[in-house]
């Protein structure tokens, strides 16, 4: 009995992982390795800021419903300073004077004027006596760690300055909101948001490769989105 030659067996191809959300040419092990690296490095870079944003977001979200008290700003100092009335002719002049005097570059918030309880120039009755209140100007400089409030009665020779300070929770919330912070902090938060989005996308892609088909992943993501929209519907106008 003679042995007939048989065709040499072809080596079995190694089956590569399949990522259902990516095109086929990006669905190999190299793409999976790249996704893992991007996910890990963005997580390492943004871990602390993610923790801060999550904590402050929780506090801000429950400040009115659950009424989580994180402490109000506390007055730490107040001073009355002498000023030349000719140097402050408007609310804007008051803001400029405060910036020069206290050496702050923070832009004051919306100007406040309190001419009187009855209205500018109108007389009022106080303890059965008719009086004419004068206009009072206020400028507020808000920073993440506290605020500065200056008050000036028109034509007066003094300015009252009050400094308040935030506690740790107040500081974290103000960092979340960007209160009193400049363009550099805004750009930093934009980078953090980009890192969070990248982590979400790479995490979803990695999860879909490890735990099930495309339809299951789409169904779970769609269900979460619909649940969030449904929860917000009662507050729509």
């Amino acid at each position: 009995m003679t042995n007939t030659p048989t065709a040499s067996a072809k080596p079995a191809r190694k089956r590569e992982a399949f990522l259902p959300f990516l095109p086929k040419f990006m669905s190999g092990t190299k793409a999976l390795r790249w996704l893992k690296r991007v996910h890990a490095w963005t997580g390492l870079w943004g871990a602390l800021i993610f923790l801060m944003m999550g904590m402050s977001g929780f506090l801000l979200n429950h400040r009115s419903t659950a009424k989580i008290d994180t402490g109000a700003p506390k007055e730490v100092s107040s001073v009355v300073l002498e000023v030349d009335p000719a140097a402050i002719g408007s609310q804007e002049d008051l803001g400029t004077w405060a910036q020069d005097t206290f050496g702050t570059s923070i832009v004051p918030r919306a100007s406040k004027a309190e001419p009187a309880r009855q209205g500018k120039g109108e007389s009022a009755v106080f303890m059965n006596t008719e009086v004419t209140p004068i206009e009072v100007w206020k400028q507020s400089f808000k920073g993440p760690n506290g605020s500065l409030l200056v008050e000036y009665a028109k034509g007066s020779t003094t300015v009252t300055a009050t400094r308040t300070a935030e506690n740790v929770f107040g500081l974290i919330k103000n960092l979340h909101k960007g209160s009193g912070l400049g363009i550099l902090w805004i750009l930093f938060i934009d980078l953090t948001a980009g890192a969070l989005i990248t982590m979400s996308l790479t995490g979803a892609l990695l999860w879909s490769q490890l735990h099930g088909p495309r339809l299951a992943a789409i169904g779970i993501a769609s269900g979460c989105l619909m649940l969030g929209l449904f929860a917000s519907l009662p507050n729509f106008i």
Side-chain angles (χ1 to χ4, degrees):
M1 182 177 180
T2 59
N3 294 329
T4 57
T6 57
S8 58
K10 294 182 179 180
R13 286 187 176 182
K14 184 179 179 180
R15 187 176 180 181
E16 293 190 332
F18 177 67
L19 299 178
F21 288 102
L22 291 177
K24 192 173 183 179
F25 70 92
M26 295 178 61
S27 300
T29 54
K30 290 183 179 180
L32 181 61
R33 192 180 305 116
W34 179 82
L35 285 173
K36 288 181 179 179
R37 289 175 179 174
V38 173
H39 189 82
W41 280 105
T42 51
L44 176 64
W45 178 81
L48 293 178
I49 192 68
F50 293 160
L51 177 63
M52 187 203 75
M53 297 294 283
M55 181 186 301
S56 57
F58 176 81
L59 295 174
L60 289 170
N61 191 42
H62 291 279
R63 66 186 184 276
S64 58
T65 303
K67 299 187 182 301
I68 298 177
D69 184 16
T70 57
K74 293 184 178 180
E75 180 179 326
V76 294
S77 60
S78 182
V79 65
V80 179
L81 300 176
E82 187 176 2
V83 67
D84 182 4
I88 303 178
S90 65
Q91 295 179 77
E92 289 72 19
D93 291 341
L94 176 61
T96 303
W97 176 89
Q99 287 176 321
D100 295 338
T101 302
F102 300 107
T104 178
S105 59
I106 299 176
V107 178
R109 301 176 67 180
S111 302
K112 293 183 179 180
E114 296 182 359
R117 292 175 183 260
Q118 301 295 327
K120 184 177 180 180
E122 295 184 6
S123 60
V125 176
F126 180 74
M127 296 183 66
N128 298 323
T129 303
E130 186 173 344
V131 295
T132 303
I134 62 175
E135 188 173 1
V136 177
W137 297 332
K138 294 184 179 182
Q139 289 282 20
S140 178
F141 301 84
K142 180 70 174 177
N145 63 329
S147 63
L148 169 67
L149 175 66
V150 291
E151 300 178 75
Y152 175 72
K154 186 177 179 180
S156 176
T157 58
T158 60
V159 173
T160 302
T162 304
R163 170 81 166 84
T164 60
E166 298 278 359
N167 58 20
V168 175
F169 292 113
L171 173 61
I172 292 176
K173 289 192 295 185
N174 286 333
L175 289 175
H176 185 111
K177 296 184 292 184
S179 299
L181 296 167
I183 186 65
L184 291 179
W185 179 259
I186 294 175
L187 292 176
F188 176 72
I189 293 300
D190 288 343
L191 290 174
T192 303
L196 186 58
I197 293 172
T198 302
M199 282 196 65
S200 300
L201 293 177
T202 54
L205 292 172
L206 290 171
W207 179 88
S208 66
Q209 191 271 338
L210 296 174
H211 293 282
R214 183 188 311 180
L215 291 178
I218 293 176
I220 293 174
S222 301
C224 293
L225 179 60
M226 293 300 296
L227 180 61
L229 292 175
F230 180 77
S232 63
L233 280 178
N235 298 317
F236 282 16
I237 298 177

